[in-house]
Structures are given as C-alpha cells and as structure tokens.
Amino acid sequence: MPKTIAGKMGLKPGMRAYFYNAPADATSAIDTAGLSVAKSSRGFFDYIHIFVKSTAELDAKFPRFKTHLAPGGRLFVSWPKSRQLGSDLTLPEIIRIGYSHGLVESTALSINSVWSALKFTWPKPGKLYQNSYGRLPGAT
C-alpha cells in the first residue's frame, strides 16, 4: 500500500501545525486530518508548512517561522515546480536560504502537480553538515 503524503512527511495525529499561504488543493493532498492546525503563528509548532513563490519571499519569511519551530519540529518549504506560477525558486536556492538561517534540509517530496516540498529541521549538536548549496552560520 503506497504511503500517504502526510506519512512521507512524518506527520502524526495531534501534532501542532501551522500553514502559511497554503493553497486548498495542497492541504487536501497532504490530508491534515488529525493535526491540531492553528489559525495564527503564535507559540511553537511541531510542523510548520510555508508556501512561497519567490526567493525574496522565502528569505524574508524563513526567520519568522523558524522562531516558532519546536525542538524536534519540522519546517516544510513548498514552492512551485519547474518555475510554475512565475516562481524563481530552485532546490539549490531553497537549501542555501534554509542553511543561511540555521536549519538543515532532509526530505524532498512532491505535494501535487504544482507544489514540491523540502523538510528543514534543527541541526543536531556536534554533527558536521556539508552541503554544496548551503552553509550554516558559523560553520567553517
């Protein structure tokens, strides 16, 4: 039996979640049933999912949402595939932005025919992260 998008994302019932700028078709594809979805970004979240179309928007919004990410939480960034919807975002650029704001990437997946997603988490203490697209602040 194929795994659901929510399953691939590691989402579990009861997780505190927040969506920014999420299109209805994308949240429907993820299947947010069972999540505790907040209407505002106050507090800390196990799962934050932001949908952006431009490099400038992602770079501006990333730090705001990072401050609401619980320890052990995940921040997913979704962007239009293949520059759809006039997007200038690419996977390397998203990774660069995430690392520049202090989070590391792991899982990439497809939400639907328009949206891709990339998971960011807090770096593990003592682990060396070497990514050709991004560098953590203070990394040598």
Side-chain angles (χ1 to χ4, degrees):
M1 185 159 134
K3 207 170 192 186
T4 65
I5 294 171
K8 290 176 185 177
M9 296 173 92
L11 305 182
K12 296 181 178 32
M15 287 181 114
R16 187 156 192 264
Y18 180 74
F19 289 88
Y20 169 77
N21 210 22
D25 63 331
T27 55
S28 176
I30 295 168
D31 185 11
T32 60
L35 296 176
S36 176
V37 180
K39 295 190 186 296
S40 76
S41 62
R42 291 186 184 160
F44 291 96
F45 297 90
D46 305 303
Y47 166 55
I48 298 171
H49 200 138
I50 64 174
F51 289 77
V52 292
K53 296 178 187 171
S54 74
T55 300
E57 181 183 21
L58 178 59
D59 202 26
K61 299 292 182 186
F62 203 101
R64 170 184 163 201
F65 292 113
K66 174 189 164 188
T67 63
H68 294 283
L69 189 61
R74 61 207 70 204
L75 188 157
F76 274 87
V77 173
S78 277
W79 72 99
K81 298 174 184 179
S82 305
R83 300 186 188 262
Q84 292 182 66
L85 307 178
S87 177
D88 67 346
L89 286 164
T90 62
L91 182 62
E93 188 63 9
I94 293 163
I95 293 170
R96 184 196 65 75
I97 291 169
Y99 270 68
S100 75
H101 292 294
L103 295 183
V104 295
E105 102 296 341
S106 58
T107 307
L109 53 92
S110 175
I111 301 294
N112 60 23
S113 64
V114 176
W115 297 96
S116 288
L118 184 62
K119 174 180 157 184
F120 286 91
T121 58
W122 294 103
K124 293 179 181 171
K127 182 174 179 182
L128 179 62
Y129 292 90
Q130 295 182 324
N131 189 296
S132 58
Y133 300 123
R135 184 173 297 268
L136 290 169
T140 55

